[in-house]
Short mmCIF file of all heavy atoms in Angstrom, two decimals:
data_model
loop_
_atom_site.label_atom_id
_atom_site.label_comp_id
_atom_site.label_asym_id
_atom_site.label_seq_id
_atom_site.Cartn_x
_atom_site.Cartn_y
_atom_site.Cartn_z
N ASN S 249 -18.20 280.00 66.72
CA ASN S 249 -17.26 280.07 65.60
C ASN S 249 -17.34 278.82 64.74
O ASN S 249 -17.30 278.89 63.50
CB ASN S 249 -15.83 280.25 66.12
CG ASN S 249 -15.47 281.71 66.35
OD1 ASN S 249 -16.16 282.39 67.11
ND2 ASN S 249 -14.42 282.19 65.71
N LEU S 250 -17.44 277.66 65.40
CA LEU S 250 -17.60 276.43 64.64
C LEU S 250 -18.89 276.46 63.83
O LEU S 250 -18.92 276.03 62.67
CB LEU S 250 -17.63 275.22 65.58
CG LEU S 250 -16.35 274.84 66.32
CD1 LEU S 250 -16.54 273.49 66.99
CD2 LEU S 250 -15.16 274.81 65.40
N GLY S 251 -19.96 276.94 64.44
CA GLY S 251 -21.25 276.97 63.76
C GLY S 251 -21.24 277.84 62.52
O GLY S 251 -22.03 277.62 61.60
N LEU S 252 -20.35 278.84 62.48
CA LEU S 252 -20.21 279.69 61.31
C LEU S 252 -19.10 279.21 60.38
O LEU S 252 -18.86 279.83 59.33
CB LEU S 252 -19.92 281.14 61.73
CG LEU S 252 -21.08 281.92 62.33
CD1 LEU S 252 -20.60 283.28 62.82
CD2 LEU S 252 -22.18 282.10 61.31
N GLY S 253 -18.40 278.15 60.74
CA GLY S 253 -17.27 277.71 59.93
C GLY S 253 -16.04 278.58 60.07
O GLY S 253 -15.11 278.49 59.27
N ALA S 254 -16.02 279.46 61.10
CA ALA S 254 -14.88 280.37 61.32
C ALA S 254 -13.87 279.70 62.23
O ALA S 254 -13.71 280.07 63.39
CB ALA S 254 -15.37 281.68 61.91
N VAL S 255 -13.18 278.69 61.70
CA VAL S 255 -12.30 277.86 62.52
C VAL S 255 -10.83 278.04 62.19
O VAL S 255 -9.97 277.53 62.91
CB VAL S 255 -12.68 276.37 62.39
CG1 VAL S 255 -14.05 276.12 62.98
CG2 VAL S 255 -12.63 275.91 60.94
N ARG S 256 -10.53 278.75 61.12
CA ARG S 256 -9.14 278.90 60.72
C ARG S 256 -8.63 280.28 61.12
O ARG S 256 -9.41 281.24 61.17
CB ARG S 256 -9.00 278.68 59.22
CG ARG S 256 -9.28 277.22 58.83
CD ARG S 256 -9.38 277.00 57.36
NE ARG S 256 -9.66 275.60 57.07
CZ ARG S 256 -10.27 275.16 55.97
NH1 ARG S 256 -10.65 276.01 55.05
NH2 ARG S 256 -10.49 273.87 55.79
N PRO S 257 -7.34 280.40 61.41
CA PRO S 257 -6.80 281.71 61.78
C PRO S 257 -7.12 282.76 60.73
O PRO S 257 -7.05 282.50 59.52
CB PRO S 257 -5.29 281.43 61.86
CG PRO S 257 -5.19 279.98 62.22
CD PRO S 257 -6.32 279.32 61.49
N GLY S 258 -7.49 283.94 61.21
CA GLY S 258 -7.79 285.04 60.30
C GLY S 258 -9.24 285.17 59.92
O GLY S 258 -9.64 286.15 59.30
N VAL S 259 -10.07 284.17 60.27
CA VAL S 259 -11.51 284.23 59.95
C VAL S 259 -12.27 284.62 61.21
O VAL S 259 -12.28 283.88 62.19
CB VAL S 259 -12.02 282.89 59.40
CG1 VAL S 259 -13.50 283.00 59.04
CG2 VAL S 259 -11.20 282.46 58.19
N VAL S 260 -12.90 285.78 61.19
CA VAL S 260 -13.59 286.34 62.35
C VAL S 260 -15.08 285.99 62.27
O VAL S 260 -15.70 286.11 61.21
CB VAL S 260 -13.41 287.87 62.40
CG1 VAL S 260 -14.31 288.49 63.47
CG2 VAL S 260 -11.96 288.21 62.68
N ALA S 261 -15.63 285.56 63.39
CA ALA S 261 -17.08 285.36 63.51
C ALA S 261 -17.67 286.56 64.21
O ALA S 261 -17.23 286.94 65.30
CB ALA S 261 -17.37 284.09 64.30
N CYS S 262 -18.68 287.17 63.58
CA CYS S 262 -19.35 288.33 64.16
C CYS S 262 -20.83 287.99 64.29
O CYS S 262 -21.42 287.41 63.38
CB CYS S 262 -19.17 289.55 63.25
SG CYS S 262 -20.07 291.02 63.80
N SER S 263 -21.41 288.34 65.41
CA SER S 263 -22.85 288.11 65.59
C SER S 263 -23.48 289.35 66.21
O SER S 263 -22.88 290.02 67.04
CB SER S 263 -23.09 286.89 66.49
OG SER S 263 -22.54 287.09 67.77
N ILE S 264 -24.69 289.65 65.75
CA ILE S 264 -25.48 290.71 66.36
C ILE S 264 -26.88 290.15 66.57
O ILE S 264 -27.63 289.94 65.62
CB ILE S 264 -25.57 291.99 65.50
CG1 ILE S 264 -24.19 292.50 65.11
CG2 ILE S 264 -26.32 293.08 66.28
CD1 ILE S 264 -24.22 293.73 64.21
N GLY S 265 -27.18 289.86 67.84
CA GLY S 265 -28.54 289.52 68.23
C GLY S 265 -29.02 290.66 69.10
O GLY S 265 -28.92 291.83 68.73
N THR S 266 -29.52 290.36 70.28
CA THR S 266 -29.82 291.42 71.24
C THR S 266 -28.53 292.10 71.67
O THR S 266 -28.46 293.33 71.78
CB THR S 266 -30.54 290.84 72.46
OG1 THR S 266 -31.72 290.18 72.01
CG2 THR S 266 -30.93 291.92 73.43
N SER S 267 -27.49 291.31 71.89
CA SER S 267 -26.14 291.83 72.14
C SER S 267 -25.31 291.53 70.90
O SER S 267 -25.85 291.32 69.81
CB SER S 267 -25.55 291.18 73.40
OG SER S 267 -25.58 289.77 73.30
N GLY S 268 -24.00 291.51 71.01
CA GLY S 268 -23.15 291.25 69.86
C GLY S 268 -21.79 290.75 70.28
O GLY S 268 -21.43 290.83 71.46
N ALA S 269 -21.04 290.21 69.34
CA ALA S 269 -19.71 289.70 69.65
C ALA S 269 -18.90 289.56 68.37
O ALA S 269 -19.44 289.49 67.26
CB ALA S 269 -19.80 288.33 70.34
N MET S 270 -17.58 289.51 68.56
CA MET S 270 -16.64 289.31 67.47
C MET S 270 -15.49 288.47 68.00
O MET S 270 -14.88 288.80 69.01
CB MET S 270 -16.14 290.67 66.95
CG MET S 270 -15.31 290.59 65.71
SD MET S 270 -15.18 292.20 64.92
CE MET S 270 -16.80 292.36 64.17
N ARG S 271 -15.20 287.34 67.29
CA ARG S 271 -14.20 286.40 67.78
C ARG S 271 -13.42 285.81 66.60
O ARG S 271 -13.99 285.52 65.56
CB ARG S 271 -14.87 285.24 68.54
CG ARG S 271 -15.71 285.62 69.72
CD ARG S 271 -16.52 284.43 70.22
NE ARG S 271 -17.42 283.94 69.17
CZ ARG S 271 -18.67 284.34 69.02
NH1 ARG S 271 -19.19 285.22 69.85
NH2 ARG S 271 -19.41 283.85 68.06
N VAL S 272 -12.12 285.59 66.83
CA VAL S 272 -11.29 284.93 65.83
C VAL S 272 -10.58 283.75 66.48
O VAL S 272 -10.17 283.81 67.65
CB VAL S 272 -10.25 285.91 65.23
CG1 VAL S 272 -9.25 286.40 66.28
CG2 VAL S 272 -9.53 285.29 64.04
#
Side-chain angles (χ1 to χ4, degrees):
N249 274 57
L250 292 189
L252 287 175
V255 294
R256 292 171 181 154
V259 182
V260 171
C262 176
S263 61
I264 307 178
T266 303
S267 55
M270 188 163 284
R271 302 169 299 268
V272 64

